[in-house]
Amino acid sequence: MLLGDLALTWSDELLHAAGLTPVQFDAVLPLLSEMRTEVMLGQYLDLQATGELTDDVEATLTVNRYKTAKYTIERPLHVGAAIAGAGPEAMEAFTAYALPLGEAFQLRDDLLGVYGDPESTGKSQLDDLRAGKNTTLIALALRGSDSAQAARLRSLIGNPLLDERDAATIQEIFAATTARDAVEQMIDDRRAQALRALDDAPFTADAVNALKQIARMATVRNS
Amino acid sequence: MLLGDLALTWSDELLHAAGLTPVQFDAVLPLLSEMRTEVMLGQYLDLQATGELTDDVEATLTVNRYKTAKYTIERPLHVGAAIAGAGPEAMEAFTAYALPLGEAFQLRDDLLGVYGDPESTGKSQLDDLRAGKNTTLIALALRGSDSAQAARLRSLIGNPLLDERDAATIQEIFAATTARDAVEQMIDDRRAQALRALDDAPFTADAVNALKQIARMATVRNS
């Protein structure tokens, strides 16, 4: 906890030493404060939901938006844009691109946790299931389950002793309830929405190409 | 933990909205970062020492300096002085006043925890002893104890079931080892040192009077 607070303070020191002009500094500071408040609210919502698996798909997407979409994609773009002197139109265009892309990125991460190649994700396919983190994938599976399937998911997910066979059972239920396909579709929809936002954005061709590349990298299948 | 992080972020927002000029802002930011780093180091040292009572008087004074003296007195003065455009001479004078006074303030607080009138301190005389926090008072008592007294202190302090009779036993050992008197003497010495620092300080008469009043309020006996 102290180390986290120390890192937060040091991140401020890096910003203060970055050689920004007063105008740039004034533009960036409120964004950073909002970003921090948002991620803490997302973390709080996430903690509140911990302990029992939820079939509330919308709730998982709200946590996703605050913990990931805004913090990982939208606000970093806003910070860079503010330093470059961007106006409100550009800021809104970044939001229109970043929020759906950020959600898609987290949805891809949820899928990689269950289906990803451990060689490239760097973690076992059992870790996320053992941790019992509420994800949109699980919420969709619970919503689509009959009572026997739901009971099975609730008894297996979050069990720290869960093994490969249990994981296979869970994957079967994810397939039978079409939860996995639904998440792939949500990723596709959100990436398409992010890319469409670039059509009307007041960005240079180089910037649009870079943002398209980010959209691809953030949502690529790896399983 | 999240609430603490949120409060930290909000304190930044207050600062950003305080209407400081860029010059004032640049002067204040490094001080706030140092202040935060210092208090976290103090907190870390304090945590490291938790779990067993120490007779290392110097170690308790180091924690005191970082957790209290700098954070509660020195740095707030520095922040105000920086906003007012103070030069290095004034900053050094504030340090010369603030560090001994801040140590004296914490030593007074340690005594109030054991001897203070609950009506005015707002807490029972048992709380600090039950919590088993390492203080300079306890370290001095342990250093001055014979082995029977030391064993008694170690068995009583930190026991959450400690009662009034145990507290009286502890107070007897604090008296017999002259630990209480020694702490009073340390407070007197440090307050005197703080006041002497004002003699050569480049402050107005009004400022010196205010600082003298703070020195009195921060160290007054209340038992």
Side-chain angles (χ1 to χ4, degrees):
Chain A
M1 180 172 156
L2 288 172
L3 205 57
D5 286 344
L6 207 52
L8 183 60
T9 293
W10 285 346
S11 76
D12 274 332
E13 289 195 61
L14 281 175
L15 177 75
H16 303 157
L20 299 183
T21 67
V23 170
Q24 289 174 322
F25 210 47
D26 281 354
V28 161
L29 285 177
L31 291 173
L32 285 176
S33 294
E34 282 200 58
M35 180 175 86
R36 288 172 177 173
T37 301
E38 286 161 358
V39 75
M40 284 184 248
L41 293 179
Q43 191 71 38
Y44 176 73
L45 289 175
D46 202 15
L47 276 176
Q48 256 198 334
T50 297
E52 203 180 354
L53 293 184
T54 181
D55 64 357
D56 187 341
V57 175
E58 289 68 31
T60 64
L61 287 171
T62 300
V63 171
N64 172 339
R65 172 165 292 214
Y66 282 93
K67 273 192 67 178
T68 305
K70 293 173 85 66
Y71 187 74
T72 311
I73 314 229
E74 184 201 28
R75 292 307 190 179
L77 288 171
H78 280 177
V79 166
I83 291 173
E89 203 198 344
M91 290 300 196
E92 280 165 31
F94 278 123
T95 297
Y97 161 83
L99 292 186
L101 179 62
E103 288 186 22
F105 171 62
Q106 180 62 55
L107 293 170
R108 172 60 66 209
D109 192 59
D110 293 345
L111 286 177
L112 287 173
V114 178
Y115 301 101
D117 174 7
E119 290 268 321
S120 59
T121 64
K123 61 179 177 184
S124 152
Q125 290 184 355
L126 304 181
D127 290 356
D128 276 13
L129 294 175
R130 284 177 172 169
K133 198 172 60 120
N134 273 305
T135 64
T136 306
L137 174 65
I138 294 171
L140 282 167
L142 283 172
R143 191 171 279 185
S145 287
D146 60 31
S147 61
Q149 288 169 323
R152 205 97 180 81
L153 289 178
R154 289 186 189 280
S155 74
L156 290 175
I157 297 173
N159 179 349
L161 301 175
L162 171 147
D163 64 18
E164 307 277 351
R165 243 192 58 212
D166 298 326
T169 303
I170 293 167
Q171 291 186 6
E172 279 163 31
I173 300 176
F174 285 169
T177 57
T178 70
R180 182 184 185 180
D181 292 340
V183 174
E184 286 289 359
Q185 188 61 51
M186 289 172 81
I187 294 172
D188 284 348
D189 290 348
R190 281 162 177 72
R191 184 181 45 226
Q193 191 186 343
L195 293 174
R196 271 199 310 277
L198 295 176
D199 291 341
D200 310 318
F203 302 146
T204 64
D206 276 358
V208 168
N209 281 334
L211 291 166
K212 283 183 176 168
Q213 201 182 337
I214 290 173
R216 198 181 54 75
M217 287 165 52
T219 56
V220 69
R221 286 182 189 232
N222 191 16
S223 54
Chain B
M1 182 171 153
L2 289 172
L3 203 58
D5 287 345
L6 207 51
L8 183 60
T9 294
W10 286 345
S11 76
D12 274 333
E13 290 194 60
L14 280 176
L15 178 76
H16 303 156
L20 300 182
T21 67
V23 170
Q24 288 174 322
F25 210 46
D26 281 354
V28 162
L29 285 177
L31 290 173
L32 285 176
S33 294
E34 282 199 57
M35 181 176 85
R36 289 173 176 172
T37 301
E38 287 160 358
V39 74
M40 284 184 250
L41 293 178
Q43 192 71 38
Y44 176 74
L45 289 174
D46 202 15
L47 276 177
Q48 255 199 334
T50 297
E52 204 180 354
L53 293 183
T54 181
D55 65 356
D56 186 341
V57 175
E58 289 68 32
T60 64
L61 287 170
T62 300
V63 171
N64 173 340
R65 172 165 294 215
Y66 282 93
K67 272 192 67 178
T68 305
K70 293 172 86 64
Y71 187 73
T72 311
I73 313 229
E74 184 201 28
R75 293 306 191 180
L77 288 171
H78 280 175
V79 166
I83 290 173
E89 203 198 343
M91 290 299 197
E92 280 166 31
F94 278 122
T95 297
Y97 161 84
L99 291 186
L101 178 61
E103 288 186 22
F105 171 63
Q106 180 62 56
L107 293 170
R108 173 59 66 209
D109 192 60
D110 293 346
L111 286 178
L112 287 175
V114 178
Y115 301 102
D117 173 7
E119 290 270 317
S120 59
T121 64
K123 60 179 178 182
S124 151
Q125 289 185 359
L126 305 179
D127 290 356
D128 275 13
L129 294 174
R130 285 177 173 169
K133 197 172 61 123
N134 273 304
T135 65
T136 306
L137 175 66
I138 294 170
L140 282 166
L142 283 171
R143 190 171 280 185
S145 288
D146 60 31
S147 59
Q149 289 169 322
R152 205 96 180 82
L153 289 179
R154 289 187 189 279
S155 74
L156 290 177
I157 297 173
N159 179 349
L161 301 176
L162 172 147
D163 62 18
E164 308 277 351
R165 243 192 57 211
D166 298 326
T169 301
I170 294 167
Q171 291 186 5
E172 279 163 30
I173 299 176
F174 285 169
T177 56
T178 71
R180 181 183 184 179
D181 292 341
V183 174
E184 286 289 359
Q185 188 61 53
M186 290 171 80
I187 294 171
D188 284 348
D189 291 349
R190 281 162 176 72
R191 183 181 44 225
Q193 191 186 342
L195 294 173
R196 272 199 309 278
L198 296 176
D199 291 342
D200 310 319
F203 302 146
T204 64
D206 277 356
V208 167
N209 282 333
L211 291 166
K212 282 183 177 168
Q213 202 181 338
I214 290 172
R216 197 181 55 74
M217 287 164 51
T219 57
V220 68
R221 287 182 190 231
N222 191 16
S223 54

